[in-house]
Amino acid sequence: MSFAIGLKCRECGTTYPSEARYVCDFCFGPLEVAYDLDAAKGVVTRESISAGPSSIWRYAELLPDPGNEPVDLGAGWTPLRRAHRLGELLGVKELWLKDDTRNPTGSFKDRVVSVALSSARRLGFSTAACASTGNLATSVAAHAAAIGWPSVTIIPSDLEKSKIAMTAIFGGTVLGVEGNYDDVNRLCVELVSEHPDWAFANVNLRAYYAEGSKTLAYEIVEQLGWRTPDQVVVPVASGSQLTKIAKGFREFAYLGLSEGPSPTLFAAQATGCSPISTAFAQGSDIIRPVRPNTIARSLAIGNPADGPYVLDELRQGGGDGGSVSDEEILECMGLLAQTEGIFAETAGGVTIATLRQLVRRGSIDPNKSVVAIISGHGLKTLDAIVDTATVTATISPSLASAQAALGVHELVAAS
Ligand SMILES: *Cc1c(COP(=O)(O)O)cnc(C)c1O
Ligand SMILES: [Zn+2]
């Protein structure tokens, strides 16, 4: 049973019933799902959670009501791995990687989509839609296919080929827009008024969608033995994930489920699209929109909806934001693969490169624990590496040819 009690305006606190509403009638502020945490206290326990399924739905009491059964491909409960080799290289004593490449469609978006479409079905919708930088479209198309719903996913037309193919294979309608994500998003806001009967995961269902990200915080705490990490590095696009990870840590603390102080959060962005890290560095409350230009396409949101809330979280918790170049992103995708055996998409490169930058800057304490969120699988952004990640040598099928090639290429352990 869910302890969600409705929606609440993040700005003025006005409450609404659980419906497909996403802006406040009074102040146009964004709405979020509210819970009766006092009623949940003592009912949601470590034992009750541990007895749940190996997916985000082990936390069903702290998520929006999914109706009879959730729309579920098995999102979440991904590995939290201790990264000894990468930690040593970066000078971080206790580094953990939250490996969200291991989700049903290869990115963290499966968490938010499972929650959004469950709420959508409970609310009577039967068509799924979204505005996406890529991964959301894939996840919406997959979850819609699994329940027999039509889907309309809208993406920039020049996305990575692998992301377009991974979405189109599920058979929904995929619209490639000649423009960037911010153009796509504007278009979707117009489409919502034309098609109020479509569940746009991140527009009219956004309040529900966003809740899925809290499960990252819950899982990290549970996987650390019900203890909070000291520091968490989060890749940031719209900023929804970071703000909800913060909410997740707060809720677990309030419910007495976690031990340890609130983690300090750090925002990871690409220099080619860093409106939030830039505003943070300038001490500004205003996020100046940018025109994205980075290989980290999944993070390329130039006008981030939750930007101001990310700034609040970073400032309140003593965090910081960093931004890294495309060269650093590629370098750190390789570093992660070669030290830990994890193949992440460009966003993973952003997270690791930003972690390295913030350790060097002194914002991240290398003597305290760090969790880095690895949010998407490398097969999604093959375009970024196919020209450089190639065979060591091409040889004829003879021993002599193999020996010759091996002779000139000394075998070395990576990194
Ligand atoms: C969507 C996405 C994020 C972060 O998204 P927010 O809009 O900030 O919630 C991070 N990594 C990947 C791979 C994504 O697809
Ligand atoms: Zn309001």
Side-chain angles (χ1 to χ4, degrees):
M1 201 204 76
S2 168
F3 285 96
I5 47 174
L7 299 172
K8 189 175 174 187
C9 175
R10 263 154 104 170
E11 292 299 327
C12 74
T14 302
T15 58
Y16 299 89
S18 270
E19 53 195 27
R21 177 193 286 275
Y22 58 108
V23 281
C24 178
D25 282 347
F26 296 96
C27 75
F28 301 107
L31 304 183
E32 68 178 351
V33 178
Y35 299 84
D36 186 353
L37 287 184
D38 291 318
K41 230 178 214 171
V43 179
V44 181
T45 63
R46 293 175 180 178
E47 292 70 30
S48 72
I49 290 170
S50 306
S54 298
S55 74
I56 59 167
W57 295 103
R58 66 201 283 106
Y59 309 107
E61 283 94 343
L62 304 175
L63 293 172
D65 177 6
N68 292 336
E69 60 173 335
V71 177
D72 180 22
L73 291 178
W77 201 239
T78 58
L80 179 71
R81 287 206 8 220
R82 181 74 193 265
H84 290 283
R85 277 168 48 75
L86 181 58
E88 193 170 322
L89 208 86
L90 301 178
V92 175
K93 278 220 181 89
E94 187 188 339
L95 176 62
W96 298 85
L97 301 175
K98 183 60 173 159
D99 186 4
D100 248 16
T101 69
R102 304 268 288 267
N103 273 304
T105 72
S107 88
F108 111 95
K109 289 297 195 304
D110 291 325
R111 297 175 184 274
V112 285
V113 169
S114 179
V115 174
L117 292 196
S118 297
S119 291
R121 187 162 65 176
R122 177 179 61 80
L123 293 167
F125 289 90
S126 55
T127 299
C130 69
S132 174
T133 57
N135 290 328
L136 179 59
T138 305
S139 186
V140 164
H143 284 81
I147 56 171
W149 282 17
S151 66
V152 182
T153 56
I154 309 181
I155 54 175
S157 61
D158 65 347
L159 275 193
E160 296 96 336
K161 278 201 183 105
S162 14
K163 277 188 188 156
I164 295 175
M166 277 187 74
T167 305
I169 194 68
F170 295 109
T173 300
V174 185
L175 297 184
V177 173
E178 291 167 336
N180 60 31
Y181 173 81
D182 300 287
D183 300 317
V184 168
N185 191 47
R186 253 194 313 278
L187 173 61
C188 281
V189 171
E190 289 178 51
L191 276 171
V192 169
S193 22
E194 293 294 313
H195 297 280
D197 54 329
W198 291 2
F200 283 82
N202 56 338
V203 188
N204 51 350
L205 272 294
R206 190 172 180 85
Y208 302 97
Y209 157 97
E211 292 297 292
S213 289
K214 294 189 311 186
T215 58
L216 275 163
Y218 299 160
E219 287 178 20
I220 290 167
V221 167
E222 186 176 354
Q223 289 169 322
L224 288 175
W226 305 101
R227 138 181 107 79
T228 54
D230 297 313
Q231 307 165 99
V232 185
V233 186
V234 185
V236 169
S238 73
S240 175
Q241 182 186 170
L242 187 143
T243 58
K244 296 301 167 173
I245 286 176
K247 189 181 183 207
F249 283 126
R250 274 195 291 273
E251 288 174 349
F252 255 31
Y254 188 83
L255 293 170
L257 294 170
S258 59
E259 267 154 47
S262 300
T264 305
L265 301 186
F266 298 87
Q269 296 207 291
T271 309
C273 184
S274 60
I276 297 176
S277 293
T278 301
F280 183 83
Q282 293 171 347
S284 165
D285 284 333
I286 293 155
I287 311 267
R288 204 163 291 131
V290 300
R291 185 170 287 277
N293 180 17
T294 168
I295 57 168
R297 300 297 306 270
S298 55
L299 304 182
I301 297 185
N303 189 10
D306 292 287
Y309 299 105
V310 173
L311 293 179
D312 287 347
E313 294 294 350
L314 299 183
R315 289 191 182 126
Q316 271 174 31
D320 196 357
S323 67
V324 293
S325 69
D326 285 355
E327 291 70 36
E328 292 170 289
I329 294 169
L330 289 170
E331 182 200 348
C332 287
M333 285 169 73
L335 212 60
L336 176 62
Q338 290 154 28
T339 54
E340 299 297 336
I342 294 178
F343 180 27
E345 71 152 83
T346 45
V350 171
T351 300
I352 298 303
T354 301
L355 163 61
R356 180 174 69 179
Q357 178 181 83
L358 296 180
V359 169
R360 286 178 181 161
R361 191 188 289 172
S363 318
I364 288 182
D365 183 344
N367 295 310
K368 291 184 170 169
S369 62
V370 181
V371 174
I373 309 276
I374 308 301
S375 50
H377 199 286
L379 287 174
K380 289 170 165 282
T381 58
L382 273 183
D383 295 23
I385 58 156
V386 278
D387 294 334
T388 50
T390 58
V391 293
T392 309
T394 302
I395 60 170
S396 64
S398 74
L399 183 59
S401 183
Q403 297 286 48
L406 290 169
V408 296
H409 294 285
E410 195 190 341
L411 295 189
V412 286
S415 296

